[in-house]
Amino acid sequence: MENIIQPKILKGFRDFLPEAEIQRALLQEKLVSAFRSYGFVPIDTPVLEYSEILLRKSNGETEKQVFRFEDNGGRDVALRFDLTVPFARFVAEHKEELYFPFKRYHIAKVWRGEKPQAGRYREFVQCDFDMVGTDSAASDFEILSLMKTSLAAIGVENITIKINHRGIFNAFLARLGLSEKSEDVLRIVDKLAKIGEDEVINQLNEITEDNTKSSDIIKFISDSQDFDSTLSMIGEMAGPEAEPCVKRMREIRSMMKAAGIESTYVLDPSITRGLDYYTGVVYETFLNDLPSIGSVCSGGRYDNLAGLYMKDKISGVGASIGLDRLIAGLEQLGISGKKGSFVDVEIFCQDSSLASEYQSLAQKLRERGINVEVFPENKKIGQQYAVTDKKGIKWGILMSAQEAEQKKFTLKNLETRQMFSDVDADKAAEIIRG
């Protein structure tokens, strides 16, 4: 007898049983509806890209996280670690077929070889939405507005979106004489919530070789007040070079107020986003009831990213929802709303000779917009109930031979046990829809 291979999966990867996958599918449907309401359209890209495409503009930490290998043709390839870099390649490759501004959404899996932890996995789904071909406060605001709208669409409203402008930070670092080390400084500051202020200071001291400059950076990122006061403070610290960036932030803030959503957004100078390609506005979203899980939606402006693959400069701005981390947070908060099936009503099999009548009724209900399942075997009714209960199906249909002759049946609410007798397809559909 051959040895049986133990069924197992790699660390940081997961199987999804129907209950979990249904939850993801329903959330994605709601997000797609929100994206489309703003005029965004879907695209798709390959999961594998040439490594030089993914890693040309990256740092050492990113390269450590990428699943990279040589394929059978000897090509140096890697699994995409996000959806933004492939999108930049997509824009460069198809620029003649696209129109600008171009607004896309993309929901797909990405892979990162980072250490698994609560809410973080090596394979996960990202939901990206970007606008390219325009560099305006209006486009920055639209992404920020859609972040709030899309999360509200899936029932997540108690959030704080922290926003900053890397241009202001870069102007400040230039005043300190640290322009050449700005990317290193930004990556260190981005770790503030993870490693704490003391360790950030230690790492800044190593980079700047000047404790005074490190102290100035800490003051810049720490002295947070209300939005307008903080903006004035960091603008003054950054100097005249930062004025266009400060103006952009004021324009965005004005639009927030006009839309009546300004209370959701906080200016936080410590938000920098570690990836190198961000150049302007950056932002991260936190669940107010569970801030420890980290950002569930983040992004920013990346004016120079597409320029890596084409001569023409195309500005872009976007955000990404980490769906799996968000679901983990909702589960911890007890508001995940799980379902075991998409079925509205189960037709129980009480008599095998009525199989055709069951299927006829199922078809009539589907034509009326009701999701129906017919139990395939004449098992004990208790066994049929047990299966239906595991799936979380709310309604059941019982049909005897006599009822079948009259084209009638009994509809049962499986949660309340309420019965509706002598029901036809039209009446049942009306009751089920509520």
Side-chain angles (χ1 to χ4, degrees):
M1 181 178 178
E2 294 183 2
N3 292 330
I4 296 176
I5 299 174
Q6 181 183 356
K8 57 185 178 180
I9 56 177
L10 294 167
K11 186 177 182 181
F13 293 77
R14 297 172 294 166
D15 287 326
F16 285 86
L17 292 172
E19 185 177 82
E21 189 61 16
I22 286 171
Q23 182 188 19
R24 288 208 305 179
L26 291 174
L27 290 178
Q28 287 181 34
E29 289 174 9
K30 293 175 181 177
L31 289 173
V32 165
S33 179
F35 299 156
R36 291 176 179 174
S37 74
Y38 278 65
F40 286 69
V41 294
I43 68 163
D44 197 11
T45 63
V47 302
L48 273 180
E49 298 267 8
Y50 285 104
S51 295
E52 66 176 358
I53 294 291
L54 296 180
L55 300 175
R56 185 176 171 189
K57 182 69 172 175
S58 66
N59 54 67
E61 292 188 16
T62 300
E63 292 188 27
K64 292 176 184 177
Q65 293 180 2
V66 171
F67 286 95
R68 182 179 183 179
F69 56 93
E70 185 177 293
D71 70 5
N72 292 339
R75 290 171 289 261
D76 182 7
V77 298
L79 289 169
R80 62 190 178 204
F81 62 87
D82 72 0
L83 298 177
T84 304
V85 176
F87 178 51
R89 190 270 309 154
F90 174 93
V91 170
E93 195 160 356
H94 300 283
K95 62 177 181 177
E96 301 302 328
E97 304 163 67
L98 300 175
Y99 47 84
F100 296 99
F102 180 65
K103 299 159 70 171
R104 82 78 152 99
Y105 68 87
H106 188 188
I107 301 177
K109 286 185 175 181
V110 299
W111 293 265
R112 294 182 188 175
E114 56 188 356
K115 183 178 179 181
Q117 53 185 289
R120 283 181 177 267
Y121 305 94
R122 289 174 173 167
E123 179 185 63
F124 53 97
V125 173
Q126 283 193 331
C127 307
D128 279 24
F129 43 103
D130 295 75
M131 187 188 311
V132 296
T134 176
D135 180 6
S136 65
S139 56
D140 289 335
F141 167 75
E142 184 163 311
I143 293 295
L144 286 161
S145 175
L146 181 51
M147 289 166 65
K148 177 177 173 63
T149 297
S150 58
L151 290 172
I154 58 176
V156 182
E157 299 192 68
N158 190 19
I159 61 172
T160 295
I161 299 176
K162 296 184 178 182
I163 179 174
N164 192 24
H165 199 299
R166 285 200 24 178
I168 301 175
F169 206 149
N170 286 332
F172 171 66
L173 293 178
R175 293 192 81 181
L176 296 181
L178 296 173
S179 292
E180 294 183 358
K181 299 179 179 180
S182 63
E183 290 184 357
D184 292 327
V185 172
L186 289 167
R187 276 196 295 274
I188 293 171
V189 170
D190 189 53
K191 299 176 184 178
L192 180 63
K194 297 178 183 177
I195 65 178
E197 185 175 304
D198 290 342
E199 182 58 27
V200 166
I201 292 174
N202 290 336
Q203 293 189 21
L204 287 175
N205 286 340
E206 292 180 13
I207 292 293
T208 65
E209 300 177 348
D210 187 327
N211 292 0
T212 301
K213 291 182 179 180
S214 298
S215 297
D216 289 340
I217 293 170
I218 292 298
K219 181 180 179 182
F220 182 90
I221 66 175
S222 301
D223 191 13
S224 228
Q225 305 169 48
D226 65 89
F227 195 109
D228 296 320
S229 298
T230 301
L231 182 58
S232 296
M233 183 271 294
I234 63 175
E236 184 177 341
M237 292 180 70
E241 187 179 337
E243 185 52 38
C245 304
V246 173
K247 180 182 177 183
R248 171 65 63 90
M249 292 290 279
R250 289 198 175 110
E251 291 174 343
I252 294 170
R253 184 62 173 173
S254 176
M255 294 177 195
M256 291 175 179
K257 291 178 178 178
I261 59 175
E262 72 276 11
S263 62
T264 299
Y265 304 87
V266 172
L267 177 55
D268 185 341
S270 71
I271 299 297
T272 63
R273 305 293 298 139
L275 294 170
D276 296 343
Y277 50 68
Y278 291 116
T279 57
V281 177
V282 288
Y283 27 75
E284 296 185 351
T285 307
F286 298 90
L287 305 178
N288 291 339
D289 297 323
L290 194 66
S292 60
I293 201 169
S295 176
V296 296
C297 180
S298 56
R301 176 162 290 281
Y302 44 88
D303 287 344
N304 300 321
L305 184 62
L308 293 171
Y309 316 110
M310 59 189 294
K311 293 181 179 179
D312 298 334
K313 181 179 178 181
I314 298 181
S315 298
V317 61
S320 176
I321 296 174
L323 190 61
D324 294 301
R325 187 188 298 189
L326 178 58
I327 290 174
L330 297 180
E331 289 174 349
Q332 288 189 50
L333 294 174
I335 55 175
S336 56
K338 293 182 177 180
K339 288 182 64 176
S341 172
F342 291 112
V343 173
D344 298 313
V345 59
E346 182 88 11
I347 299 177
F348 295 112
C349 182
Q350 297 175 277
D351 186 340
S352 297
S353 68
L354 298 178
S356 295
E357 282 77 4
Y358 295 149
Q359 295 298 340
S360 174
L361 173 59
Q363 185 60 28
K364 290 178 182 178
L365 289 170
R366 291 185 188 115
E367 290 171 354
R368 290 158 175 77
I370 303 299
N371 294 340
V372 186
E373 182 176 79
V374 178
F375 203 92
E377 299 178 60
N378 185 14
K379 291 187 175 183
K380 292 180 180 179
I381 194 66
Q383 292 177 296
Q384 296 186 48
Y385 277 149
V387 173
T388 305
D389 182 61
K390 283 187 176 182
K391 294 179 180 180
I393 298 173
K394 182 177 180 180
W395 297 94
I397 286 177
L398 301 163
M399 178 190 284
S400 66
Q402 183 178 355
E403 287 176 315
E405 288 181 5
Q406 300 172 357
K407 306 298 182 184
K408 302 279 186 171
F409 52 87
T410 299
L411 179 66
K412 182 177 182 179
N413 186 316
L414 301 176
E415 295 176 352
T416 65
R417 301 292 188 263
Q418 184 179 6
M419 310 280 277
F420 301 86
S421 302
D422 295 323
V423 173
D424 61 13
D426 286 326
K427 184 62 176 177
E430 180 184 334
I431 295 171
I432 291 168
R433 283 195 293 262

